[in-house]
Amino acid sequence: MDRIERLVSASRTTMSQVMLPEDANADANVHGGTIMKFADTAAAVAAIRHCRSRVVTARVDGMDFVAPVYVGDLVHVMASVNLAGKTSLEVGVRIEAEKVRLGEVRHVASAYFVFVALDDEGRVTAVPYLTPETDEDRRRLTDATHRQHARQEARRRARARIPGNKDG
């Protein structure tokens, strides 16, 4: 079966949610895990839009929080596919927090999620090719390719450290 291709814009996803007291600690700072779960959900939606199949999170390439999120902030998560491999894809996520009444928006965190596509029986399946549309899409694709190579090399080195492993 020939693989189809999809445009980056077909995966673009924005999700927004007001942070409530149950999302935070006693000082009204939203838990990092709450933000991470929201980011994983938005990234999964972007991956599903690209693949049109089930996906599972395989990896998150670090999430550094550069600004706090507070109860009452409106959090926006923007996600889109950066790279499509054979059976996996990288989704870039940007998280912003907005103080709606003040009109202030600040960058909170960014991360890269790697998903594996699954068919209806739960087996790994091919993903569509990715077609970048803008210079920014092309830059993100190039950067994602470098990250993919780095992840592959790190996996190879990790396997080589396992005693008796013939794959390393």
Side-chain angles (χ1 to χ4, degrees), residues 40-74:
D40 186 36
T41 300
V45 170
I48 293 166
R49 283 180 166 168
H50 181 78
C51 296
R52 299 287 187 235
S53 69
R54 296 168 48 197
V55 297
V56 291
T57 308
R59 179 186 176 99
V60 180
D61 282 355
M63 182 178 287
D64 294 322
F65 293 94
V66 298
V69 178
Y70 302 105
V71 170
D73 284 350
L74 178 61

Side-chain angles (χ1 to χ4, degrees), residues 1 48 51-56 116-126:
M1 177 167 102
I48 293 166
C51 296
R52 299 287 187 235
S53 69
R54 296 168 48 197
V55 297
V56 291
V116 174
L118 303 176
D119 66 15
D120 290 338
E121 283 74 44
R123 295 181 301 246
V124 175
T125 190

Side-chain angles (χ1 to χ4, degrees), residues 122-143:
R123 295 181 301 246
V124 175
T125 190
V127 302
Y129 292 109
L130 182 67
T131 303
E133 302 165 82
T134 67
D135 288 342
E136 177 68 9
D137 292 344
R138 284 182 277 283
R139 182 196 62 77
R140 291 168 62 105
L141 175 61
T142 298
D143 292 350

Side-chain angles (χ1 to χ4, degrees), residues 36 39-40 57-63 110-115 151:
M36 293 173 77
D40 186 36
T57 308
R59 179 186 176 99
V60 180
D61 282 355
M63 182 178 287
S110 296
Y112 302 104
F113 288 76
V114 177
F115 292 89
R151 287 189 291 264

Side-chain angles (χ1 to χ4, degrees), residues 70-74 76 97-106:
Y70 302 105
V71 170
D73 284 350
L74 178 61
H76 307 284
E98 177 181 0
K99 293 202 174 303
V100 180
R101 291 185 298 146
L102 300 176
E104 295 174 358
V105 178
R106 66 195 177 283

Side-chain angles (χ1 to χ4, degrees), residues 2-99:
D2 291 332
R3 285 172 60 191
I4 60 172
E5 59 184 81
R6 292 220 168 79
L7 300 173
V8 171
S9 60
S11 71
R12 285 201 178 95
T13 300
T14 299
M15 296 177 67
S16 299
Q17 181 174 324
V18 174
M19 295 294 106
L20 301 172
E22 61 264 23
D23 299 319
N25 63 23
D27 292 324
N29 294 304
V30 174
H31 296 291
T34 299
I35 303 297
M36 293 173 77
K37 181 176 185 283
F38 191 27
D40 186 36
T41 300
V45 170
I48 293 166
R49 283 180 166 168
H50 181 78
C51 296
R52 299 287 187 235
S53 69
R54 296 168 48 197
V55 297
V56 291
T57 308
R59 179 186 176 99
V60 180
D61 282 355
M63 182 178 287
D64 294 322
F65 293 94
V66 298
V69 178
Y70 302 105
V71 170
D73 284 350
L74 178 61
V75 173
H76 307 284
V77 180
M78 289 76 65
S80 64
V81 174
N82 291 336
L83 173 72
K86 292 177 184 168
T87 60
S88 65
L89 57 161
E90 181 192 278
V91 176
V93 172
R94 179 180 171 89
I95 304 155
E96 297 177 344
E98 177 181 0
K99 293 202 174 303

